[in-house]
Amino acid sequence: MSYPTYRNLIGGEWLPAKSGKTLLNLNPADHTDIVGAFPSSHAEDVELAVAAAKKAYATWRLVPAPKRAEVLVRAGILLQERKEKFAHDMTREMGKVLAETRGDVQEAIDEAFYVAGEGRRLFGVTAPSELQSKFAMSVRMPVGVVGLITPWNFPMAIPSWKLFPALVAGNTCVIKPASDTPLSTYNLVQTLVDAGVPAGVINIVCGSGSGVGTPLVEHPDVRAISFTGSSSVGSHVGQRAAATFKPVSLEMGGKNAQIVLNDANLDLALDGALWGAFGTTGQRCTATSRILLQKGIAAQFTEKLVARAKALKIGSGLDESVEVGPQVNPSQIETSASYVEIALAEGAQLLCGGHALTEGAYAKGTFFEPTVLGGVTPTMRIAREEVFGPVVSLIEFETFDEAIAIANSIDYGLSTALYTKDVNRAFAAMRDLESGITYINAPTIGAEVHLPFGGVKQTGNGHREGLGAIDFFTTWKAVYVDYSDKLQRAQIDNQQ
Ligand code: NAD
C-alpha cells in the first residue's frame, strides 16, 4: 500500500533524517494500515535542529510577547477548522475513539486561546527598594532553546501544553514526538507554521528515545527540558539533564484511585469509574486504576461495574459506536496481560476480561478486554504499579481514614477522586489526599488546561503544566535602577 513519508522540520525546511531511515506509524486497530513513514533521526539531526533554534532565538526573543501570542490565536483558529481531520488522523495512529481524539484536539485549541492571553500577562512584580531613589522590579525572561519530549497518549494536547507556553514566553523549541504517534504532533507543528511561526522557532525531530531524546537532553545549547512520559524514563532524563544543570520538568506516571463511600450516588460513581478506567483504553496518566470501595456498597457496586464493563463495545475508534479502542502497540498488550497474571498469582480474582482479543475483527490490531480484578489488597503489585491499559483493581475498606491511607500508600501522586455526599469528608479528602489533582464526585480524568496539571512523589518533580507552565518556560531577572547619582550600598548605607 502507498503511504506518505514525513520529514523533520529544521530551520524552516522539511528534511529527511541524515540516516535516510524511517519508522513506520501503524494503525493500532489494523496493523496493515500504514499511517505514514517518519524520520528515524539521531544526534546529527538533533544537532542541526538545536543550531536552527539557537539562531532563531536571537530574533524571536525580541518579538513583543503580545505579537508572539497572535500566532497562537491564529493557530487556535486553524485548529478549530482542522479539528475533524486531525481527530481522524489521531484515532488512526493512536487508537482512541473519535469522541476522545476530538477532545484531544480541543484541548490544544483551549490551550492556544488560554496561553495567547499570557502574551499580555507575562507579569513581573515591582517592589520598594530599601534605598532612596532606587527602583526595583522583576521581569520574566525566556530561557532559550528548550527541548520538549512527549508521550503517545495525548499526541496533540501534551505537545500543545509545552509548545504554546514556551513560544509565547519567547523560547525556541525542538520537539521530539513519541514514535508511536508522530502524525498528530506533525499536524500541530504544521498548524503553527501556517499560523506564522518563523523559521527555526519550532523544529520537530522524529525518532526513538535513545536516538533523539538522549542527544536532546544532553545538548549543551538546550537550556531546559520538558518531558512527559513514564517515571522510569523520566528518572533517566532528570539525571542526564542534571549533569548539565538544565532545569527539567517531569510529568510522569500515575496509579490513580477513585474512592466510593457508602453514602455516594452509586450510579454517578459507576459512570465515573467506567469512564475513568476504560476511557482512552485506560491509557491516560490520570486513568482510574484503583477503585476503593467502602464495604457497605462494595458488593452492589462490583456487580454493576462488572456488568457494565462486559457490555462495553470494543473496536476501531473510527467506528462512532465503539466505546473502547485498541491499545497503542503490542508491548502495551503484553504489559496488560502480564499484570493480570501477576495479580492472579498474588491472589486477586478475575471478575471480567483479562485477555487480549485476537480473533475476527480484532485479529489485525492490539485489543485488550476491559478487565476488572476483585479481592485486591493494597500491597499487591497490581495495586501499586502503573499498568497503562484497561485493567482496574477493586480494593475494599471499612473506614474513610483507611481509604485515604490506602490511596496515599503508593509511590505515585497524580489524580484522586472521592464520591460522597458528606461535605466534611470531601474537604478532609481535598486536604489529605497526596495527589496533584483531586476530584469530588467526578472521575480521576478530566483536567482543564487553565488549572495546574501535575503530580507529587514519583509522578512529578514539582513543576506544573497549565497554570504553572509559564513559570517553567521563563526565568526571573531582578532589575534595579538607581537614580540617586551616587553609590548606594544595599544592607550597608541604609543601616545606622
Ligand atoms: P515513555 O517514557 O516510554 O516515553 C515518553 C517519551 O520519552 C517518548 O517520546 C520516548 O521516545 C522518549 N524517550 C524514551 N527513552 C528516552 C530517553 N532515554 N531519553 C529521552 N527520551 C526518551 O512513555 P510513553 O510510553 O510514551 O507514555 C506513557 C507514560 O507517560 C505513562 O507512564 C504515563 O503515565 C505517562 N504520562 C504522564 C502524563 C503526565 O502529565 N503526568 C501524561 C501522559 C502520559
Side-chain angles (χ1 to χ4, degrees):
M1 88 181 261
S2 70
Y3 47 81
T5 297
Y6 295 84
R7 295 175 165 202
N8 292 324
L9 178 66
I10 297 178
E13 285 185 80
W14 293 98
L15 302 172
K18 286 269 181 200
S19 68
K21 293 191 178 141
T22 55
L23 299 164
L24 289 184
N25 179 358
L26 307 181
N27 177 345
D30 176 358
H31 290 156
T32 62
D33 175 26
I34 300 170
V35 176
F38 288 78
S40 175
S41 314
H42 291 92
E44 61 268 29
D45 306 292
V46 173
E47 193 63 48
L48 286 179
V50 173
K54 192 176 174 186
K55 187 166 168 232
Y57 179 63
T59 46
W60 182 244
R61 74 185 183 91
L62 299 178
V63 175
K67 283 276 160 212
R68 295 194 295 250
E70 285 173 13
V71 175
L72 297 186
V73 173
R74 287 196 291 275
I77 292 167
L78 288 173
L79 286 170
Q80 284 176 324
E81 290 166 12
R82 300 172 184 181
K83 180 172 171 179
E84 200 53 34
K85 158 90 171 77
F86 287 175
H88 194 274
D89 281 352
M90 195 187 298
T91 294
R92 207 174 141 217
E93 72 168 348
M94 189 275 167
K96 61 186 171 186
V97 299
L98 277 172
E100 293 191 45
T101 52
R102 288 183 192 117
D104 196 309
V105 180
Q106 185 59 44
E107 207 163 314
I109 295 167
D110 296 344
E111 177 77 3
F113 295 138
Y114 165 57
V115 175
E118 293 299 326
R120 290 187 182 272
R121 237 192 332 257
L122 288 172
F123 298 138
V125 289
T126 58
S129 167
E130 65 188 47
L131 294 160
Q132 267 189 19
S133 302
K134 193 171 181 189
F135 189 82
M137 61 186 159
S138 59
V139 290
R140 289 180 182 273
M141 308 294 284
V143 177
V145 177
V146 296
L148 313 175
I149 300 175
T150 54
W152 46 261
N153 65 334
F154 278 84
M156 184 171 286
I158 291 178
S160 80
W161 295 355
K162 300 185 189 300
L163 282 169
F164 296 173
L167 291 173
V168 86
N171 304 286
T172 55
C173 306
V174 178
I175 185 163
K176 184 207 112 43
S179 36
D180 276 314
T181 57
L183 177 57
S184 299
T185 314
Y186 269 72
N187 284 339
L188 182 67
V189 167
Q190 181 66 60
T191 301
L192 282 163
V193 170
D194 297 342
V197 172
V201 169
I202 175 166
N203 304 274
I204 182 165
V205 182
C206 186
S208 67
S210 55
V212 175
T214 301
L216 192 58
V217 171
E218 294 181 349
H219 200 293
D221 288 335
V222 174
R223 291 289 166 81
I225 292 287
S226 179
F227 167 90
T228 300
S230 60
S231 298
S232 57
V233 175
S235 168
H236 172 78
V237 166
Q239 291 177 55
R240 295 309 305 150
T244 46
F245 306 105
K246 286 185 182 71
V248 54
S249 166
L250 302 171
E251 298 295 344
M252 300 170 288
K255 189 73 193 172
N256 313 293
Q258 172 178 320
I259 302 170
V260 187
L261 300 185
N262 286 339
D263 72 347
N265 175 337
L266 270 205
D267 289 330
L268 183 69
L270 273 164
D271 286 344
L274 217 68
W275 173 228
F278 303 123
T280 323
T281 319
Q283 301 171 123
R284 288 197 192 207
C285 50
T286 50
T288 307
S289 52
R290 299 180 291 159
I291 304 177
L292 278 48
L293 299 171
Q294 199 161 19
K295 288 255 161 76
I297 49 87
Q300 192 191 353
F301 187 97
T302 302
E303 191 188 327
K304 288 187 173 177
L305 180 74
V306 169
R308 289 187 61 181
K310 280 182 180 165
L312 288 169
K313 183 170 177 191
I314 308 162
S316 164
L318 294 172
D319 174 346
E320 296 270 9
S321 68
V322 160
E323 294 165 288
V324 181
Q327 288 211 259
V328 78
N329 61 33
S331 139
Q332 292 300 125
I333 294 283
E334 277 167 34
T335 306
S336 295
S338 73
Y339 269 103
V340 171
E341 272 177 38
I342 290 166
L344 298 185
E346 286 189 321
Q349 294 131 33
L350 185 60
L351 302 180
C352 69
H355 306 97
L357 292 163
T358 52
E359 304 290 321
Y362 302 117
K364 291 184 194 163
T366 38
F367 294 93
F368 201 86
E369 295 171 313
T371 300
V372 181
L373 293 160
V376 174
T377 60
T379 54
M380 290 180 183
R381 284 183 62 193
I382 191 67
R384 315 186 68 78
E385 298 174 18
E386 187 179 48
V387 178
F388 224 56
V391 178
V392 71
S393 298
L394 307 185
I395 303 172
E396 297 187 15
F397 64 90
E398 303 267 2
T399 66
F400 174 70
D401 288 347
E402 195 188 341
I404 299 286
I406 295 170
N408 289 345
S409 68
I410 50 154
D411 292 331
Y412 295 108
L414 184 53
S415 184
T416 46
L418 173 72
Y419 282 78
T420 184
K421 289 182 187 145
D422 181 335
V423 70
N424 294 352
R425 293 230 162 95
F427 272 86
M430 287 182 242
R431 182 193 59 199
D432 294 338
L433 285 168
E434 293 172 357
S435 57
I437 308 167
T438 292
Y439 295 89
I440 304 296
N441 293 326
T444 59
I445 65 179
E448 300 177 30
V449 300
H450 53 299
L451 276 90
F453 186 90
V456 299
K457 300 196 268 187
Q458 291 186 15
T459 295
N461 65 341
H463 298 285
R464 289 291 182 271
E465 309 214 86
L467 179 72
I470 292 292
D471 291 332
F472 183 72
F473 287 113
T474 54
T475 179
W476 284 114
K477 176 180 272 193
V479 180
Y480 301 93
V481 181
D482 191 323
Y483 54 100
S484 69
D485 213 24
K486 63 182 182 201
L487 173 66
Q488 299 197 86
R489 297 172 301 172
Q491 295 93 37
I492 298 173
D493 290 336
N494 58 339
Q495 299 297 320
Q496 296 310 315

